[in-house]
Structures are given as structure tokens and as C-alpha cells.
Amino acid sequence: MCCSSRKGSGGFKALMFGMLVGLVLGLVFAPRPGSETISQVSGKVTGKMNA
């Protein structure tokens, strides 16, 4: 019952702030765009299936 004993929306604000920080860091440190990553991964899976 760690979170239910808190009163107010302080926990919600902290959660939203953490999610925002995670999103920003993910965008900043992403090695390549999502579509490029998906095509690379699907190419590796297809290559393993054909081998």
C-alpha cells in the first residue's frame, strides 16, 4: 500500500514527469528512426528463416 496512502495527485505528477523524461531521452539517444529499425529487424528474422 505504498502508493494508496498518499493524498493528492503528487504521485500522478511524478509519474507523468518520469514518462516525459523517458520519452525525451529515448528520442535523443535513439540510434536510428523506428521505421529503419523495424525493417532491419524484420530483415534479420526473414534471413534466419530462409537459411
Side-chain angles (χ1 to χ4, degrees), residues 1-49:
M1 291 213 160
C2 69
C3 299
S4 62
S5 63
R6 292 178 123 180
K7 292 192 177 192
S9 62
F12 182 73
K13 287 181 183 179
L15 176 68
M16 297 313 282
F17 179 73
M19 289 174 62
L20 179 64
V21 169
L23 176 68
V24 169
L25 289 175
L27 290 174
V28 168
F29 292 109
R32 58 181 59 94
S35 58
E36 187 177 328
T37 303
I38 291 172
S39 64
Q40 182 182 12
V41 169
S42 65
K44 286 182 180 180
V45 169
T46 305
K48 286 182 181 179
M49 291 173 66

